[in-house]
Amino acid sequence: MKLRRADFPTDFMFGAATAAYQIEGHSFGGAGPTHWDTFSATPGNVVGAENGAIACDHYHRMDADLDLLSDAGMDAYRFSTSWARVLPDGRGTPNQDGLDFYDRLVDGCMARGLKPFQTLYHWEMPSALADLGGWTNPDVADWMADYAEVITRRIGDRVHSIATLNEPWCVSYLSHFLGHHAPGLRDIRATARAMHHVNKAHGRTMTRLRDMGQDTCGIVLNFEATQAASDISADRRAAATQDATHNRWFIEAIAKGHYPAEALDGLEPHLPANWQDDMAEISQPIDFLGVNYYTRGLVQAVENAPWPATAPVGGPLDKTQMGWEIYPQGLQDTLIRMAKDYVGTLPMFVTENGMAWPETDGHADDARTGFIDSHLQAMHAAIGQGVNLQGFFYWSLLDNYEWAFGYEKRFGLVHVDFDTLDRTPKSSYHALKTAIARQDPA
Ligand code: IFM
């Protein structure tokens, strides 16, 4: 890799990220059912109808996994706590085994000098709350704040930071409009409500965390480099619409207290009554912004179609195993845009960036090393242009459950054999370890 730790600011943190349902093994330790258990059990939703019941068995292998992070010389670990592991029915009586597990996880991080970056919601809605409408129910904001309080009482004294949600666009639009993720809806009213209620839940949870005296609280949003497939005005309008729903809806609500007009064009009739009353709580200050970035999105207009009247277009760039174009310039542009248009000098972290790549003999994955290298250069360039970027988390530490794609798409720095659950660091793990090694003082 071209860049080394010494090329980044002194306190810049390098880490890796995971999420609870994707690695823990949800069948262990008294966790309650989630909407991903039922979505994956419904034929046609998930490749091979695979689920997170065993996943990487991180529940029983946590120490070895934390060793992988510290052995690589990482500074921080981004993980999520599972709502349904903490509160199996979503509300009510906590699961002591679940609380104990996260207590051990945070202690395990501290013992290894890893800063724990917690995310409260990384996609597994407890089934009992999904039965009540999940993200379409306005009460979800209070349910989430209550859950945040329970887990924060247990580990809030030791976590380095708390993100309320991971990728609200996926939680709402991808899951309620495009139907790709649980709960698998394709309904504009449900979408508009979910898109507003995730923001409301963020705001309500921030209020609760502040009441509890927590600092270093923020949110993790996912961005794509949205571009028109051609220069014709209809395609440029399509790109503006997609940019509004994908890239602007959440950050604009949080940083400015309003929604973009291009998104309201289609969604406003379906928003809950008096949604404007929630915007003040949604737009309260955050302490950091997490940026997840993977690819660009080329988009074209679709004639005579209902809003948003857009369609994705395949691009010519090299692609990952997901079929996503590799476009590091988009990460640099996104970081600069966030700083310039929304958050100024607020600390930012690249909380996810990585590539899926097929299993290879001997776990040689030079393509992944090149991907990391090019995206580190994009981050470095953004810092050079004044962006207050304070860290980078590779997605993901381990090959894991890639949601609707099951276990086929491999994002890990560390290979997981899903028969034996053996872990083997890939060549990208070793390359990153070398790049971030601390130099001995001369
Ligand atoms: O695996 C996901 C993760 O859960 C959220 N961000 C994108 C990753 C890759 O698709």
Side-chain angles (χ1 to χ4, degrees):
M1 289 200 207
K2 292 194 185 64
L3 294 171
R4 292 283 184 271
R5 180 184 283 277
D7 296 307
F8 287 83
T10 317
D11 296 331
F12 193 86
M13 290 180 226
F14 293 90
T18 65
Y21 192 81
Q22 293 179 270
I23 65 163
E24 287 177 357
H26 199 74
S27 56
F28 307 126
T34 81
H35 67 178
W36 268 96
D37 299 312
T38 45
F39 181 76
S40 56
T42 309
N45 284 342
V46 174
V47 172
E50 291 175 324
N51 59 38
I54 310 284
C56 304
D57 190 24
H58 172 73
Y59 187 79
H60 297 109
R61 297 162 195 253
M62 172 176 61
D63 281 306
D65 292 340
L66 294 178
D67 285 345
L68 286 165
L69 291 155
S70 52
D71 289 350
M74 293 193 184
D75 310 297
Y77 176 41
R78 177 171 177 247
F79 61 92
S80 72
T81 47
S82 161
W83 188 339
R85 183 176 294 292
V86 172
L87 293 164
D89 297 321
R91 296 178 288 182
T93 310
N95 168 28
Q96 288 306 324
D97 287 348
L99 290 170
D100 291 348
F101 171 72
Y102 292 122
D103 200 69
R104 289 198 304 278
L105 175 60
V106 172
D107 279 349
C109 288
M110 310 285 280
R112 292 167 177 83
L114 296 164
K115 292 192 168 58
F117 278 62
Q118 178 195 5
T119 301
L120 284 163
Y121 185 80
H122 198 127
W123 300 2
E124 64 282 77
M125 173 65 68
S127 295
L129 301 181
D131 291 344
L132 301 177
W135 290 106
T136 67
N137 188 323
D139 293 340
V140 70
D142 290 317
W143 301 336
M144 180 164 167
D146 291 346
Y147 149 60
E149 181 171 339
V150 173
I151 184 66
T152 302
R153 282 202 189 293
R154 188 63 184 264
I155 62 173
D157 57 335
R158 282 155 290 151
V159 290
H160 180 78
S161 74
I162 304 175
T164 52
L165 291 123
N166 181 71
E167 302 183 350
W169 179 84
C170 295
V171 173
S172 54
Y173 198 93
L174 186 69
S175 307
H176 295 77
F177 197 62
L178 301 180
H180 294 178
H181 280 188
L185 299 184
R186 300 197 63 235
D187 182 281
I188 197 166
R189 179 179 165 94
T191 303
R193 278 145 203 269
M195 286 177 81
H196 181 65
H197 293 152
V198 287
N199 282 336
K200 181 172 166 173
H202 161 76
R204 190 62 46 85
T205 302
M206 286 294 297
T207 302
R208 189 72 62 89
L209 293 172
R210 296 305 194 203
D211 288 349
M212 296 178 74
Q214 291 296 137
D215 53 18
T216 322
C217 301
I219 189 165
V220 170
L221 305 178
N222 59 309
F223 300 94
E224 62 165 27
T226 308
Q227 294 176 0
S230 84
D231 233 8
I232 64 171
S233 59
D235 286 349
R236 282 194 271 114
R237 266 198 311 280
T241 302
Q242 183 156 310
D243 184 50
T245 53
H246 196 123
N247 295 321
R248 291 173 56 202
W249 179 270
F250 305 97
I251 189 61
E252 212 146 301
I254 291 164
K256 301 188 175 177
H258 53 72
Y259 289 132
E262 294 88 340
L264 286 175
D265 278 351
L267 295 172
E268 188 159 23
H270 309 288
L271 282 168
N274 304 320
W275 57 270
Q276 295 90 343
D277 296 350
D278 299 323
M279 299 311 276
E281 189 173 31
I282 290 169
S283 60
Q284 65 185 284
I286 52 176
D287 302 316
F288 71 92
L289 174 66
V291 171
N292 291 0
Y293 172 84
Y294 287 90
T295 188
R296 73 170 173 173
L298 282 181
V299 57
Q300 68 184 9
V302 183
E303 277 181 39
N304 302 320
W307 184 95
T310 59
V313 180
L317 306 178
D318 288 347
K319 297 182 181 57
T320 70
Q321 191 190 13
M322 298 294 281
W324 296 347
E325 283 191 308
I326 300 173
Y327 186 62
Q329 181 66 43
L331 176 55
Q332 182 181 336
D333 296 345
T334 296
L335 292 169
I336 292 169
R337 180 187 192 188
M338 286 304 117
K340 184 169 152 296
D341 293 351
Y342 296 105
V343 300
T345 56
L346 189 82
M348 279 192 269
F349 295 86
V350 171
T351 32
E352 284 183 30
N353 172 248
M355 83 185 297
W357 198 245
E359 194 158 8
T360 49
D361 286 345
H363 310 307
D365 58 345
D366 293 349
R368 180 173 288 105
T369 303
F371 183 98
I372 298 171
D373 192 23
S374 59
H375 287 80
L376 279 176
Q377 289 179 52
M379 292 176 229
H380 188 256
I383 293 169
Q385 290 177 62
V387 171
N388 185 14
L389 184 67
Q390 299 196 352
F392 156 58
F393 294 82
Y394 178 80
W395 180 271
S396 178
L397 174 66
L398 305 170
D399 292 337
N400 60 42
Y401 181 63
E402 180 51 27
W403 306 111
F405 295 96
Y407 292 92
E408 186 203 337
K409 310 288 188 206
R410 292 177 174 271
F411 276 90
L413 293 169
V414 176
H415 176 268
V416 177
D417 178 324
F418 289 107
D419 294 324
T420 63
L421 295 169
D422 286 346
R423 276 81 160 134
T424 312
K426 304 178 190 177
S427 54
S428 57
Y429 171 97
H430 297 292
L432 185 58
K433 174 176 175 167
T434 302
I436 67 176
R438 290 179 190 280
Q439 304 298 317
D440 288 334

mmCIF file of all heavy atoms in Angstrom, residues 19 22 122-123 166-167 170 181 222 292 294 322 324 352 395-396 400-403 411, ligand 1:
data_model
loop_
_atom_site.group_PDB
_atom_site.id
_atom_site.type_symbol
_atom_site.label_atom_id
_atom_site.label_comp_id
_atom_site.label_asym_id
_atom_site.label_seq_id
_atom_site.Cartn_x
_atom_site.Cartn_y
_atom_site.Cartn_z
ATOM 1 N N ALA A 19 -21.274 -6.188 12.471
ATOM 2 C CA ALA A 19 -22.608 -5.920 13.036
ATOM 3 C C ALA A 19 -23.135 -7.203 13.671
ATOM 4 O O ALA A 19 -22.827 -8.318 13.217
ATOM 5 C CB ALA A 19 -23.564 -5.439 11.959
ATOM 6 N N GLN A 22 -24.897 -10.119 11.796
ATOM 7 C CA GLN A 22 -24.069 -10.674 10.726
ATOM 8 C C GLN A 22 -22.967 -11.592 11.235
ATOM 9 O O GLN A 22 -22.403 -12.361 10.464
ATOM 10 C CB GLN A 22 -23.453 -9.532 9.902
ATOM 11 C CG GLN A 22 -24.497 -8.740 9.133
ATOM 12 C CD GLN A 22 -23.900 -7.588 8.344
ATOM 13 O OE1 GLN A 22 -23.795 -6.485 8.864
ATOM 14 N NE2 GLN A 22 -23.516 -7.823 7.106
ATOM 15 N N HIS A 122 -28.322 -1.894 14.030
ATOM 16 C CA HIS A 122 -27.788 -2.311 12.733
ATOM 17 C C HIS A 122 -28.708 -3.411 12.194
ATOM 18 O O HIS A 122 -28.306 -4.543 11.994
ATOM 19 C CB HIS A 122 -26.332 -2.776 12.858
ATOM 20 C CG HIS A 122 -25.585 -2.823 11.558
ATOM 21 N ND1 HIS A 122 -24.376 -2.200 11.364
ATOM 22 C CD2 HIS A 122 -25.872 -3.422 10.386
ATOM 23 C CE1 HIS A 122 -23.947 -2.426 10.135
ATOM 24 N NE2 HIS A 122 -24.850 -3.177 9.514
ATOM 25 N N TRP A 123 -30.015 -3.062 12.131
ATOM 26 C CA TRP A 123 -30.969 -3.701 11.238
ATOM 27 C C TRP A 123 -31.815 -4.833 11.777
ATOM 28 O O TRP A 123 -32.676 -5.317 11.050
ATOM 29 C CB TRP A 123 -30.295 -4.166 9.959
ATOM 30 C CG TRP A 123 -29.649 -3.065 9.174
ATOM 31 C CD1 TRP A 123 -29.582 -1.738 9.508
ATOM 32 C CD2 TRP A 123 -28.969 -3.186 7.930
ATOM 33 N NE1 TRP A 123 -28.919 -1.029 8.553
ATOM 34 C CE2 TRP A 123 -28.520 -1.898 7.563
ATOM 35 C CE3 TRP A 123 -28.702 -4.248 7.094
ATOM 36 C CZ2 TRP A 123 -27.815 -1.651 6.385
ATOM 37 C CZ3 TRP A 123 -27.999 -4.023 5.927
ATOM 38 C CH2 TRP A 123 -27.563 -2.738 5.570
ATOM 39 N N ASN A 166 -27.322 2.596 12.029
ATOM 40 C CA ASN A 166 -26.492 2.357 10.864
ATOM 41 C C ASN A 166 -27.343 2.443 9.607
ATOM 42 O O ASN A 166 -28.322 1.700 9.464
ATOM 43 C CB ASN A 166 -25.862 0.960 10.916
ATOM 44 C CG ASN A 166 -24.960 0.716 9.710
ATOM 45 O OD1 ASN A 166 -23.893 1.314 9.617
ATOM 46 N ND2 ASN A 166 -25.395 -0.119 8.777
ATOM 47 N N GLU A 167 -27.002 3.372 8.717
ATOM 48 C CA GLU A 167 -27.568 3.444 7.376
ATOM 49 C C GLU A 167 -29.096 3.521 7.358
ATOM 50 O O GLU A 167 -29.783 2.604 6.881
ATOM 51 C CB GLU A 167 -27.072 2.260 6.531
ATOM 52 C CG GLU A 167 -25.550 2.214 6.423
ATOM 53 C CD GLU A 167 -25.039 1.101 5.523
ATOM 54 O OE1 GLU A 167 -25.837 0.233 5.121
ATOM 55 O OE2 GLU A 167 -23.838 1.098 5.210
ATOM 56 N N CYS A 170 -30.967 2.413 4.243
ATOM 57 C CA CYS A 170 -31.226 0.977 4.069
ATOM 58 C C CYS A 170 -32.385 0.537 4.968
ATOM 59 O O CYS A 170 -33.238 -0.259 4.558
ATOM 60 C CB CYS A 170 -29.977 0.154 4.401
ATOM 61 S SG CYS A 170 -28.605 0.454 3.278
ATOM 62 N N HIS A 181 -34.569 -5.652 1.690
ATOM 63 C CA HIS A 181 -34.209 -6.082 3.053
ATOM 64 C C HIS A 181 -35.471 -6.167 3.900
ATOM 65 O O HIS A 181 -36.520 -5.587 3.555
ATOM 66 C CB HIS A 181 -33.258 -5.054 3.683
ATOM 67 C CG HIS A 181 -31.826 -5.197 3.240
ATOM 68 N ND1 HIS A 181 -30.796 -4.481 3.801
ATOM 69 C CD2 HIS A 181 -31.247 -5.981 2.299
ATOM 70 C CE1 HIS A 181 -29.648 -4.815 3.231
ATOM 71 N NE2 HIS A 181 -29.892 -5.716 2.309
ATOM 72 N N ASN A 222 -25.169 6.184 5.070
ATOM 73 C CA ASN A 222 -24.486 5.659 3.879
ATOM 74 C C ASN A 222 -24.747 6.559 2.683
ATOM 75 O O ASN A 222 -25.861 7.022 2.446
ATOM 76 C CB ASN A 222 -24.887 4.218 3.563
ATOM 77 C CG ASN A 222 -26.362 4.013 3.319
ATOM 78 O OD1 ASN A 222 -27.184 4.443 4.120
ATOM 79 N ND2 ASN A 222 -26.693 3.361 2.229
ATOM 80 N N ASN A 292 -20.481 5.922 5.596
ATOM 81 C CA ASN A 292 -20.266 4.639 4.925
ATOM 82 C C ASN A 292 -20.301 4.894 3.426
ATOM 83 O O ASN A 292 -21.234 5.528 2.911
ATOM 84 C CB ASN A 292 -21.373 3.637 5.271
ATOM 85 C CG ASN A 292 -21.307 3.177 6.719
ATOM 86 O OD1 ASN A 292 -20.427 3.604 7.470
ATOM 87 N ND2 ASN A 292 -22.216 2.310 7.108
ATOM 88 N N TYR A 294 -19.341 2.987 -0.473
ATOM 89 C CA TYR A 294 -18.895 1.811 -1.222
ATOM 90 C C TYR A 294 -18.723 2.056 -2.723
ATOM 91 O O TYR A 294 -17.837 1.484 -3.338
ATOM 92 C CB TYR A 294 -19.908 0.668 -1.042
ATOM 93 C CG TYR A 294 -19.831 0.045 0.337
ATOM 94 C CD1 TYR A 294 -20.605 0.535 1.381
ATOM 95 C CD2 TYR A 294 -18.959 -1.000 0.600
ATOM 96 C CE1 TYR A 294 -20.518 -0.019 2.658
ATOM 97 C CE2 TYR A 294 -18.863 -1.553 1.864
ATOM 98 C CZ TYR A 294 -19.639 -1.063 2.886
ATOM 99 O OH TYR A 294 -19.537 -1.611 4.141
ATOM 100 N N MET A 322 -20.015 -7.759 -5.484
ATOM 101 C CA MET A 322 -21.399 -7.294 -5.395
ATOM 102 C C MET A 322 -21.884 -6.707 -6.726
ATOM 103 O O MET A 322 -23.056 -6.368 -6.856
ATOM 104 C CB MET A 322 -21.534 -6.199 -4.321
ATOM 105 C CG MET A 322 -21.204 -6.611 -2.913
ATOM 106 S SD MET A 322 -22.344 -7.825 -2.227
ATOM 107 C CE MET A 322 -23.742 -6.818 -1.757
ATOM 108 N N TRP A 324 -20.670 -3.846 -7.651
ATOM 109 C CA TRP A 324 -20.592 -2.399 -7.393
ATOM 110 C C TRP A 324 -19.325 -1.842 -8.034
ATOM 111 O O TRP A 324 -18.220 -2.397 -7.849
ATOM 112 C CB TRP A 324 -20.540 -2.126 -5.883
ATOM 113 C CG TRP A 324 -21.772 -2.556 -5.140
ATOM 114 C CD1 TRP A 324 -22.972 -2.919 -5.677
ATOM 115 C CD2 TRP A 324 -21.902 -2.684 -3.715
ATOM 116 N NE1 TRP A 324 -23.849 -3.262 -4.663
ATOM 117 C CE2 TRP A 324 -23.226 -3.119 -3.458
ATOM 118 C CE3 TRP A 324 -21.040 -2.471 -2.632
ATOM 119 C CZ2 TRP A 324 -23.705 -3.346 -2.166
ATOM 120 C CZ3 TRP A 324 -21.523 -2.695 -1.348
ATOM 121 C CH2 TRP A 324 -22.832 -3.126 -1.120
ATOM 122 N N GLU A 352 -17.545 2.695 7.384
ATOM 123 C CA GLU A 352 -17.533 1.484 6.551
ATOM 124 C C GLU A 352 -17.009 1.834 5.178
ATOM 125 O O GLU A 352 -17.410 2.841 4.579
ATOM 126 C CB GLU A 352 -18.936 0.884 6.358
ATOM 127 C CG GLU A 352 -19.467 0.145 7.541
ATOM 128 C CD GLU A 352 -20.832 -0.483 7.273
ATOM 129 O OE1 GLU A 352 -21.125 -0.850 6.110
ATOM 130 O OE2 GLU A 352 -21.600 -0.598 8.234
ATOM 131 N N TRP A 395 -14.820 -2.383 6.330
ATOM 132 C CA TRP A 395 -15.930 -3.352 6.401
ATOM 133 C C TRP A 395 -15.549 -4.543 5.550
ATOM 134 O O TRP A 395 -15.428 -4.388 4.346
ATOM 135 C CB TRP A 395 -17.258 -2.773 5.890
ATOM 136 C CG TRP A 395 -18.326 -3.829 6.011
ATOM 137 C CD1 TRP A 395 -18.674 -4.779 5.078
ATOM 138 C CD2 TRP A 395 -19.146 -4.072 7.173
ATOM 139 N NE1 TRP A 395 -19.651 -5.601 5.584
ATOM 140 C CE2 TRP A 395 -19.952 -5.190 6.854
ATOM 141 C CE3 TRP A 395 -19.256 -3.480 8.426
ATOM 142 C CZ2 TRP A 395 -20.879 -5.722 7.772
ATOM 143 C CZ3 TRP A 395 -20.173 -4.002 9.316
ATOM 144 C CH2 TRP A 395 -20.972 -5.105 8.985
ATOM 145 N N SER A 396 -15.308 -5.683 6.142
ATOM 146 C CA SER A 396 -15.589 -6.015 7.516
ATOM 147 C C SER A 396 -14.408 -6.817 8.064
ATOM 148 O O SER A 396 -13.579 -7.296 7.290
ATOM 149 C CB SER A 396 -16.874 -6.855 7.562
ATOM 150 O OG SER A 396 -17.184 -7.252 8.878
ATOM 151 N N ASN A 400 -18.937 -12.587 6.494
ATOM 152 C CA ASN A 400 -20.099 -12.751 7.376
ATOM 153 C C ASN A 400 -21.393 -12.828 6.586
ATOM 154 O O ASN A 400 -21.382 -12.971 5.364
ATOM 155 C CB ASN A 400 -20.116 -11.631 8.431
ATOM 156 C CG ASN A 400 -20.210 -10.243 7.822
ATOM 157 O OD1 ASN A 400 -20.972 -10.023 6.884
ATOM 158 N ND2 ASN A 400 -19.408 -9.300 8.339
ATOM 159 N N TYR A 401 -22.501 -12.715 7.299
ATOM 160 C CA TYR A 401 -23.841 -12.830 6.701
ATOM 161 C C TYR A 401 -24.162 -11.537 5.951
ATOM 162 O O TYR A 401 -24.402 -10.504 6.578
ATOM 163 C CB TYR A 401 -24.862 -13.070 7.819
ATOM 164 C CG TYR A 401 -26.291 -13.223 7.352
ATOM 165 C CD1 TYR A 401 -26.656 -14.279 6.515
ATOM 166 C CD2 TYR A 401 -27.279 -12.338 7.749
ATOM 167 C CE1 TYR A 401 -27.964 -14.436 6.090
ATOM 168 C CE2 TYR A 401 -28.597 -12.486 7.344
ATOM 169 C CZ TYR A 401 -28.927 -13.539 6.512
ATOM 170 O OH TYR A 401 -30.235 -13.695 6.097
ATOM 171 N N GLU A 402 -24.128 -11.615 4.625
ATOM 172 C CA GLU A 402 -24.351 -10.414 3.833
ATOM 173 C C GLU A 402 -25.843 -10.332 3.474
ATOM 174 O O GLU A 402 -26.237 -10.315 2.317
ATOM 175 C CB GLU A 402 -23.427 -10.403 2.602
ATOM 176 C CG GLU A 402 -23.541 -9.204 1.682
ATOM 177 C CD GLU A 402 -23.457 -7.820 2.350
ATOM 178 O OE1 GLU A 402 -22.830 -7.700 3.424
ATOM 179 O OE2 GLU A 402 -24.045 -6.888 1.785
ATOM 180 N N TRP A 403 -26.669 -10.342 4.498
ATOM 181 C CA TRP A 403 -28.108 -10.076 4.385
ATOM 182 C C TRP A 403 -28.763 -10.887 3.267
ATOM 183 O O TRP A 403 -28.647 -12.116 3.274
ATOM 184 C CB TRP A 403 -28.319 -8.560 4.232
ATOM 185 C CG TRP A 403 -27.644 -7.782 5.333
ATOM 186 C CD1 TRP A 403 -26.555 -6.964 5.227
ATOM 187 C CD2 TRP A 403 -27.976 -7.782 6.748
ATOM 188 N NE1 TRP A 403 -26.216 -6.444 6.459
ATOM 189 C CE2 TRP A 403 -27.076 -6.924 7.406
ATOM 190 C CE3 TRP A 403 -28.973 -8.404 7.511
ATOM 191 C CZ2 TRP A 403 -27.108 -6.686 8.779
ATOM 192 C CZ3 TRP A 403 -29.016 -8.172 8.884
ATOM 193 C CH2 TRP A 403 -28.095 -7.328 9.494
ATOM 194 N N PHE A 411 -16.741 -10.056 2.379
ATOM 195 C CA PHE A 411 -16.170 -8.720 2.604
ATOM 196 C C PHE A 411 -14.972 -8.746 3.549
ATOM 197 O O PHE A 411 -14.364 -7.713 3.798
ATOM 198 C CB PHE A 411 -17.226 -7.797 3.234
ATOM 199 C CG PHE A 411 -18.175 -7.142 2.260
ATOM 200 C CD1 PHE A 411 -19.366 -7.758 1.902
ATOM 201 C CD2 PHE A 411 -17.888 -5.904 1.708
ATOM 202 C CE1 PHE A 411 -20.254 -7.143 1.016
ATOM 203 C CE2 PHE A 411 -18.763 -5.283 0.821
ATOM 204 C CZ PHE A 411 -19.948 -5.907 0.476
HETATM 205 O O1 IFM B 1 -22.863 -5.750 5.127
HETATM 206 C C1 IFM B 1 -23.312 -4.440 4.952
HETATM 207 C C2 IFM B 1 -23.451 -3.757 6.286
HETATM 208 O O2 IFM B 1 -24.308 -4.440 7.134
HETATM 209 C C3 IFM B 1 -23.994 -2.365 6.103
HETATM 210 N N1 IFM B 1 -23.260 -1.628 5.110
HETATM 211 C C4 IFM B 1 -22.979 -2.274 3.859
HETATM 212 C C5 IFM B 1 -22.376 -3.638 4.097
HETATM 213 C C6 IFM B 1 -22.060 -4.314 2.756
HETATM 214 O O3 IFM B 1 -23.225 -4.478 2.003
#
